[in-house]
Amino acid sequence: MLSKFFKPKWQHTNPVIRLNAVKTLSDACDDQYLILSGLAIRDPDIEVRQAAIAQIMSVNNLIQLLQASEADSAAIETRLANKLNTETNPQALFEQLTN
């Protein structure tokens, strides 16, 4: 019963609170990556979706998200392109995208 009063902040109805909560998450932790990817694809607020995408640092996680996303993927593609530009050897990652 108390659990309905103490939901995680990323589940809050207020998008500003969700936005602040997203900034505390990291894709280095599998559980948090699942939260970030869900928010990146399904959150009703565009700023929360963009913040969730921005928190995903792993190129592999971005590729997975892009492949799993049925929503507008332009923000994910932009983030992925920016991350690939910083990679020292992006060839293997490009190959993952073509598979």
Side-chain angles (χ1 to χ4, degrees), residues 8-29:
K9 292 188 188 275
W10 58 268
Q11 290 181 335
H12 202 279
T13 56
N14 184 331
V16 174
I17 293 173
R18 287 196 313 276
L19 182 63
N20 289 328
V22 163
K23 294 176 184 177
T24 67
L25 299 174
S26 168
D27 71 325
C29 175

Side-chain angles (χ1 to χ4, degrees), residues 54-81:
Q55 286 298 108
I56 299 174
M57 300 297 165
S58 164
V59 172
N60 288 327
N61 285 346
L62 286 167
I63 291 170
Q64 281 182 334
L65 184 61
L66 184 61
Q67 291 171 341
S69 176
E70 296 174 6
D72 179 26
S73 57
I76 301 168
E77 290 171 352
T78 301
R79 177 77 173 135
L80 182 57

Side-chain angles (χ1 to χ4, degrees), residues 28-89:
C29 175
D30 289 341
D31 292 341
Q32 291 183 14
Y33 168 68
L34 291 175
I35 294 166
L36 286 170
S37 62
L39 291 170
I41 295 170
R42 291 182 288 278
D43 196 275
D45 187 85
I46 190 166
E47 290 184 29
V48 174
R49 290 194 309 268
Q50 290 174 343
I53 292 167
Q55 286 298 108
I56 299 174
M57 300 297 165
S58 164
V59 172
N60 288 327
N61 285 346
L62 286 167
I63 291 170
Q64 281 182 334
L65 184 61
L66 184 61
Q67 291 171 341
S69 176
E70 296 174 6
D72 179 26
S73 57
I76 301 168
E77 290 171 352
T78 301
R79 177 77 173 135
L80 182 57
N82 290 336
K83 289 297 288 180
L84 286 173
N85 282 335
T86 64
E87 289 291 315
T88 56
N89 186 12

